[in-house]
């Protein structure tokens, strides 16, 4: 039986929602980019995973919420790797890629997203089944 800590789950979902609008990349000329500005598809898929997670949270499906938390953790790793490789292979010219890779920096929004994902991951845990027993002495 899974036990869901709703406070941790809601805090994790809230942090993930907020992280989408935090600065994710620092681009020298254009300034800070959030998740939508760096890649709109990445933003939409991230929020789709979060919406499905919230749906499972509201209908009290702890197993499905746990699964979506793992999906979100895997998606976080894939998103970081994708943004890193996009920044380092932006053009077809090697010199420009090295230059862009050195001037584009990750910002603190990735940390907020990571903390939200960790809250979601650690909001469910295995627990023992509670078996209700009746005391025959209380029935008298």
């Amino acid at each position: 039986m899974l036990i869901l800590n709703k406070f941790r789950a809601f805090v994790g979902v809230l942090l993930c929602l907020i992280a989408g609008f935090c600065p994710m990349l620092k681009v020298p000329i254009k300034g800070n980019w959030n998740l939508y500005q760096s890649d709109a598809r990445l933003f939409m898929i991230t929020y789709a995973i979060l919406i499905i997670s919230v749906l499972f949270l509201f209908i009290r499906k702890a197993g499905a919420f746990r699964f979506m938390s793992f999906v979100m953790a895997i998606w976080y790793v894939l998103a970081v790797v994708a943004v890193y490789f996009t920044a380092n292979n932006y053009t077809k010219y090697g010199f420009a890629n090295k230059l862009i890779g050195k001037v584009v920096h990750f910002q603190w929004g990735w940390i907020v997203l990571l903390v939200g994902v960790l809250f979601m991951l650690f909001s469910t845990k295995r627990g023992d089944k509670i078996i209700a027993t009746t005391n025959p002495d209380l029935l008298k």
Side-chain angles (χ1 to χ4, degrees), residues 32-52:
N32 292 330
W33 283 3
N34 59 19
L35 193 59
Y36 181 74
Q37 291 169 328
S38 64
D39 191 2
R41 289 173 290 173
L42 191 70
F43 177 81
M44 295 297 178
I45 294 171
T46 303
Y47 274 78
I49 293 171
L50 284 173
I51 289 168
I52 294 169

Side-chain angles (χ1 to χ4, degrees), residues 18-98:
I18 291 171
F21 298 103
C22 292
M24 296 286 189
L25 293 174
K26 182 175 182 181
V27 182
I29 296 171
K30 295 192 175 194
N32 292 330
W33 283 3
N34 59 19
L35 193 59
Y36 181 74
Q37 291 169 328
S38 64
D39 191 2
R41 289 173 290 173
L42 191 70
F43 177 81
M44 295 297 178
I45 294 171
T46 303
Y47 274 78
I49 293 171
L50 284 173
I51 289 168
I52 294 169
S53 299
V54 169
L55 175 70
F56 288 139
L57 187 61
F58 280 133
I59 62 173
R60 297 181 183 178
K61 297 289 185 185
F65 181 79
R66 184 177 189 179
F67 174 73
M68 290 309 292
S69 298
F70 283 117
V71 169
M72 187 66 185
I74 292 169
W75 181 249
Y76 172 80
V77 172
L78 288 175
V80 170
V81 170
V83 170
Y84 175 78
F85 282 122
T86 301
N88 288 324
N89 296 319
Y90 194 71
T91 66
K92 58 183 176 181
Y93 305 110
F95 174 73
N97 287 336
K98 289 179 185 177

